[in-house]
Amino acid sequence: MSSGIEAQVLQPYKYGFVTDIESETVPPGLSEDVIRLISQKKGEPAWMLEWRLKAYRNWQKMPEPHWANVQYGPVDYQAISYYAAPKQRPKLDSLDQVDPKLLETFEKLGIPLEERKRLAGVAVDAVFDSVSVATTFREELKKHGVIFCAISEAIREYPDLVQQYLGSVVPYNDNFFAALNSAVFTDGSFVYVPKGVRCPMELSTYFRINAESTGQFERTLIVADEGSHVSYLEGCSAPVRDENQLHAAVVELVALDNATIKYSTIQNWYPGDEEGRGGIYNFVTKRGACRGRASKISWTQVETGSAITWKYPGCILQGDDSIGEFYSVAVTNQRQQADTGTKMIHMGKNTRSTIVSKGISAGRGQNTYRGLVKILKGAEQARNYSQCDSMLIGDRCGAHTFPYIDVRNSTAIMEHEASTSKIGEDQIFYAKQRGLSAEDAVSMIVNGFCKEVFKELPMEFAVEAQRLLGISLEGSVG
Amino acid sequence: MTGKGKRETGKVLLEVRDLHASVEGREILKGVDLTVRTGEVHAIMGPNGSGKSTLAQVLAGHPAYSVTAGQVLYEGKDLLAMAPEERAREGVFLAFQYPVAIRGITNAYFLRAAVNAIRKHKGVEELGPVEFMDALEAKLTAIGWDSSYLTRPVNDGFSGGEKKRNEILQLAVLDPKLAILDETDSGLDIDALKTVAQTVDKLRRPDNATVLVTHYYRILTHIQPDLVHVLAAGRIVKSGGKDLALELEEKGYDWLRTEPAVA
């Protein structure tokens, strides 16, 4: 029956171009000297270097984790270059001094940085390899007291804020990849929203890997002070290459009393080719702390790219009445592998969490949901609702679900629903009989399946996400 | 052979010649001949397993069935050479016996996608959501239905009867030249059957045609068929007028098995 469902004629990855730009790259390899060099290039204070070195020394003692349901050859950490920057150092204050090639690159990716072309209502921080190229709408945001800048700049300009929160949610020794990131992180975004401020626009960061044999290790820190509200979105892409490139990011979110952070990701790193050659290893640690009363952190992710994805954006629900949410769509096509899910740690009273995960597997893709819901002793009346749905396209792919539940308070209410469905010949035939093409039929069925997640995305990006999903599944159904 | 030749005024819309089809290597249709003209309603009756649904699916192009011999002409063109979506865009509509659910997609969205696929094929401008809703409201009113179906996901959580009604709603909106209704009457209560049949009857025009695949005489009390055919063991063994349906209702199908097949 499924013979027609799997013609693997693949649409080429649309963001696979390389920008020809001279870059300053440190030689491959990792040592204390390399870390000192990175820190020096960034003009960092001594405390930052000390923190990096502490992370590095810990990392050296840590084994690479292999419990995830993914397979890959050994990663040679000494073969990676840990710093690459376009040679002409951009001055952040003026776009006139940014290399036109960089502006062109981002424009090609649909992220215009020039004043007159900017996306209305969205401020963008554009990161190219190891450095932030430009951040738009900074002045406008400053009027509201919102700080939105490159993290390397924040370390210099707002050292007190950074020192107070950096590593407070994901410690430097949290796990192997987080420790590596803490030692070598180069850029990323910093956001601070002051008390009572509702951020007037969407904030977003676009990450682009360009240089060869490099890794990208960005670090993002978002702090929402009491009663504030912010919505942030990250996007990313990389050139087509035969080698695997490592992306090990750390994202930390802190929400104080009554604050809300909505964090959305549209991940479109190069997934590798149909034989599994090349592609990004996306090994990422993302965590939010709902530190204050009635605070709320909501993660929404649409993961369509990367050869391997290993990420579990989670929430630590410390404050009473705090809320954690995780909405995820993960697509694996060709030979992609994803092991992704969330951790909801309930500490405060009356804390609530919602998990909605949609995994779509096509080709020879392997998709694993892995989630932990932990209700600690003091978390009276905690509630969790989890829903994990898997969809299979064709019969060579796989879907796996590992929900871990650890409840230590008897007043907790837990609900878990799971389903697995298969896009069948009958569904596609039904849509075709009404005049739709196979591609439109699949795209419609998949979008309907993901609807609960897409509706959580900021409006400007929901359309982009739907389109991206269409592209990454193109060719998976004949 | 009463009734045959009574209404040979319309153009030949569909011509099935010696059609053989099999599924998973098993031959189901063993030489079906059928001519449908515009303005006509045909009823195809027959016992379980005789090949009625297979005929409907083969005409729509379901990939599970392979045609091993024979020919089907639709408006003089080779229907079997056309992809299922092309057949649909050219005006062939199948009301499914078991309509499929599509989660998260509203009926209105699905219908608009279908309408626009057909419009695009015809080179007519596609309809935006607002224009489409206006056009749809008019259609709903014309057939006396309310709009509660539109905001629900396609067949998701529908009862058997609701699914069948929804097929007829799609039929009304897509307005095909050739409608094939595969046991749309089974699973409907008497009132629903009446509504559905009346809707189909309202959609009759001199330039379209309907093929009703059915087990029961009941639906034919609401829709007057021009021709009734009996399909048994993969062939049409008898054709006649409405009286034939009545005869089948009284006598069943067994008496036909002893009669020689119509070539």
Side-chain angles (χ1 to χ4, degrees):
Chain A
M1 280 285 282
S2 63
S3 58
I5 286 205
E6 270 213 334
Q8 289 285 320
V9 191
L10 285 147
Q11 190 69 16
Y13 180 66
K14 299 202 170 166
Y15 304 96
F17 64 90
V18 179
T19 304
D20 182 17
I21 194 163
E22 222 186 318
S23 76
E24 182 192 2
T25 308
V26 301
L30 186 52
S31 64
E32 295 204 359
D33 286 345
V34 168
I35 292 164
R36 287 199 172 88
L37 184 70
I38 292 170
S39 185
Q40 185 207 328
K41 279 188 185 299
K42 300 269 174 197
E44 288 175 356
W47 60 265
M48 194 66 251
L49 174 63
E50 278 315 305
W51 197 73
R52 287 177 180 274
L53 291 171
K54 211 161 49 174
Y56 176 63
R57 287 167 197 149
N58 263 271
W59 176 76
Q60 284 178 305
K61 287 179 256 165
M62 297 168 103
E64 196 186 88
H66 284 284
W67 44 261
N69 189 22
V70 295
Q71 271 149 22
Y72 58 99
V75 176
D76 183 355
Y77 294 93
Q78 294 303 334
I80 297 170
S81 165
Y82 289 87
Y83 184 84
K87 219 166 205 164
Q88 186 193 2
R89 275 302 299 270
K91 298 266 178 15
L92 292 164
D93 303 337
S94 165
L95 277 177
D96 300 341
Q97 291 165 51
V98 176
D99 191 322
K101 277 185 186 164
L102 289 174
L103 295 180
E104 212 176 279
T105 300
F106 282 100
E107 183 143 0
K108 234 165 133 179
L109 296 168
I111 320 287
L113 301 174
E114 287 160 81
E115 194 98 32
R116 64 194 164 82
K117 292 181 187 163
R118 284 175 186 173
L119 306 168
V122 183
V124 181
D125 181 20
V127 178
F128 189 87
D129 288 331
S130 302
V131 292
S132 168
V133 173
T135 311
T136 65
F137 292 111
R138 290 158 56 102
E139 292 309 311
E140 172 79 24
L141 289 166
K142 221 173 241 173
K143 279 186 223 155
H144 298 267
V146 175
I147 303 170
F148 179 40
C149 65
I151 197 153
S152 50
E153 192 189 343
I155 291 165
R156 292 190 303 265
E157 306 289 322
Y158 312 100
D160 294 347
L161 272 176
V162 175
Q163 220 173 343
Q164 187 182 350
Y165 292 106
L166 189 77
S168 74
V169 189
V170 179
Y172 65 87
N173 58 355
D174 187 78
N175 68 70
F176 182 83
F177 296 112
L180 178 63
N181 174 285
S182 301
V184 303
F185 76 89
T186 42
D187 234 326
S189 302
F190 173 75
V191 176
Y192 173 77
V193 189
K195 270 185 198 170
V197 172
R198 196 177 174 92
C199 189
M201 56 180 85
E202 297 280 338
L203 305 183
S204 84
T205 304
Y206 195 91
F207 296 98
R208 175 73 178 172
I209 294 180
N210 187 65
E212 222 168 330
S213 305
T214 57
Q216 194 172 49
F217 305 93
E218 88 268 3
R219 188 140 193 140
T220 295
L221 173 61
I222 299 176
V223 179
D225 214 325
E226 290 171 23
S228 68
H229 183 286
V230 62
S231 171
Y232 175 95
L233 182 128
E234 59 167 358
C236 47
S237 64
V240 169
R241 293 190 200 287
D242 282 348
E243 58 171 12
N244 292 111
Q245 284 181 285
L246 181 62
H247 171 253
V250 171
V251 174
E252 295 178 274
L253 311 182
V254 178
L256 303 181
D257 283 359
N258 298 300
T260 297
I261 303 176
K262 186 172 172 60
Y263 191 105
S264 314
T265 303
I266 295 185
Q267 187 265 105
N268 188 26
W269 294 116
Y270 176 56
D273 68 10
E274 64 267 40
E275 297 304 321
R277 272 184 305 253
I280 302 290
Y281 289 169
N282 189 34
F283 300 157
V284 171
T285 305
K286 292 183 172 180
R287 198 172 301 150
C290 283
R291 230 159 253 179
R293 270 203 86 246
S295 55
K296 178 179 173 184
I297 290 179
S298 179
W299 297 97
T300 304
Q301 59 172 27
V302 176
E303 305 278 322
T304 60
S306 296
I308 301 175
T309 295
W310 179 99
K311 64 180 277 200
Y312 315 90
C315 298
I316 302 169
L317 303 170
Q318 290 165 283
D320 290 348
D321 301 306
S322 61
I323 297 171
E325 293 175 340
F326 175 75
Y327 298 95
S328 170
V329 167
V331 180
T332 52
N333 195 359
Q334 305 180 72
R335 303 248 178 186
Q336 282 175 277
Q337 306 173 62
D339 190 308
T340 184
T342 184
K343 282 188 199 175
M344 293 290 175
I345 314 294
H346 292 251
M347 298 168 75
K349 292 185 182 71
N350 200 28
T351 45
R352 280 175 289 158
S353 63
T354 302
I355 299 170
V356 177
S357 162
K358 306 277 178 175
I360 300 161
S361 310
R364 293 174 188 268
Q366 292 294 328
N367 210 321
T368 300
Y369 168 80
R370 188 183 302 277
L372 169 68
V373 179
K374 192 167 184 171
I375 312 284
L376 296 181
K377 239 187 185 138
E380 289 290 319
Q381 311 288 340
R383 273 179 292 164
N384 166 262
Y385 170 76
S386 299
Q387 183 190 336
C388 302
D389 297 324
S390 304
M391 176 175 271
L392 301 168
I393 303 176
D395 47 19
R396 293 180 301 168
C397 54
H400 318 271
T401 306
F402 300 104
Y404 302 93
I405 295 170
D406 181 357
V407 180
R408 307 195 179 174
N409 184 309
S410 61
T411 62
I413 300 170
M414 314 286 286
E415 278 178 85
H416 185 93
E417 287 177 27
S419 77
T420 302
S421 55
K422 197 169 169 175
I423 290 196
E425 202 81 61
D426 283 332
Q427 257 178 322
I428 292 170
F429 178 65
Y430 185 69
K432 278 183 170 178
Q433 213 301 307
R434 299 300 182 249
L436 276 67
S437 65
E439 282 74 25
D440 287 349
V442 171
S443 151
M444 181 180 283
I445 294 163
V446 169
N447 277 310
F449 175 72
C450 299
K451 196 180 195 176
E452 292 144 285
V453 175
F454 286 166
K455 72 174 168 54
E456 296 297 326
L457 285 172
M459 187 105 101
E460 293 86 340
F461 302 99
V463 177
E464 168 69 9
Q466 288 190 22
R467 199 182 56 80
L468 199 57
L469 206 63
I471 290 171
S472 56
L473 286 170
E474 229 165 87
S476 63
V477 174
Chain B
M1 287 297 175
T2 48
K4 194 165 188 186
K6 190 178 76 179
R7 273 198 182 216
E8 292 197 357
T9 47
K11 282 187 297 182
V12 174
L13 185 62
L14 180 78
E15 194 162 11
V16 181
R17 291 185 197 146
D18 192 31
L19 185 65
H20 291 251
S22 54
V23 62
E24 288 161 2
R26 213 156 32 89
E27 186 169 64
I28 309 285
L29 299 184
K30 299 172 179 170
V32 174
D33 293 279
L34 178 70
T35 303
V36 179
R37 291 168 183 275
T38 52
E40 291 179 344
V41 171
H42 290 237
I44 296 183
M45 306 185 73
N48 287 327
S50 59
K52 299 189 300 294
S53 285
T54 298
L55 178 62
Q57 297 279 342
V58 168
L59 292 177
H62 195 288
Y65 300 88
S66 45
V67 173
T68 49
Q71 205 184 13
V72 180
L73 296 176
Y74 170 72
E75 295 189 304
K77 285 173 288 188
D78 182 1
L79 186 75
L80 301 177
M82 292 156 75
E85 60 272 32
E86 258 182 276
R87 301 181 196 195
R89 292 170 195 165
E90 287 286 333
V92 178
F93 179 94
L94 171 65
F96 284 65
Q97 187 181 359
Y98 304 108
V100 178
I102 305 174
R103 252 169 89 179
I105 296 295
T106 62
N107 250 333
Y109 185 92
F110 182 68
L111 273 169
R112 186 163 73 88
V115 164
N116 280 338
I118 294 166
R119 288 177 72 95
K120 199 174 158 190
H121 179 72
K122 286 183 183 161
V124 188
E125 207 183 324
E126 294 174 45
L127 294 177
V130 179
E131 295 165 283
F132 176 72
M133 286 311 271
D134 288 347
L136 197 54
E137 294 286 347
K139 279 251 158 79
L140 286 170
T141 317
I143 60 170
W145 285 21
D146 68 45
S147 56
S148 64
Y149 275 97
L150 300 176
T151 50
R152 293 174 60 182
V154 183
N155 296 326
D156 191 24
F158 280 34
S159 71
E162 283 178 327
K163 284 183 187 174
K164 295 297 179 71
R165 281 185 66 143
N166 199 27
E167 292 295 286
I168 299 308
L169 171 63
Q170 295 185 28
L171 169 70
V173 173
L174 297 178
D175 192 18
K177 285 181 217 159
L178 175 66
I180 304 159
L181 275 54
D182 189 5
E183 298 197 20
T184 301
D185 53 343
S186 40
L188 289 179
D189 61 42
I190 295 166
D191 292 332
L193 178 78
K194 198 172 160 190
T195 323
V196 162
Q198 282 171 350
T199 306
V200 174
D201 203 46
K202 273 186 212 164
L203 295 169
R204 282 179 85 158
R205 282 199 315 261
D207 62 342
N208 66 15
T210 306
V211 175
L212 295 169
V213 172
T214 180
H215 269 300
Y216 308 108
Y217 175 76
R218 246 183 5 172
I219 192 166
L220 303 178
T221 60
H222 302 285
I223 309 169
Q224 292 278 334
D226 297 289
L227 284 158
V228 176
H229 312 274
V230 180
L231 192 67
R235 311 175 88 179
I236 288 178
V237 294
K238 197 168 181 65
S239 296
K242 197 193 164 189
D243 301 345
L244 175 59
L246 201 60
E247 202 178 344
L248 291 169
E249 179 77 1
E250 283 163 9
K251 303 208 283 194
Y253 295 109
D254 280 346
W255 62 280
L256 284 166
R257 294 190 180 161
T258 53
E259 288 203 358
V262 178

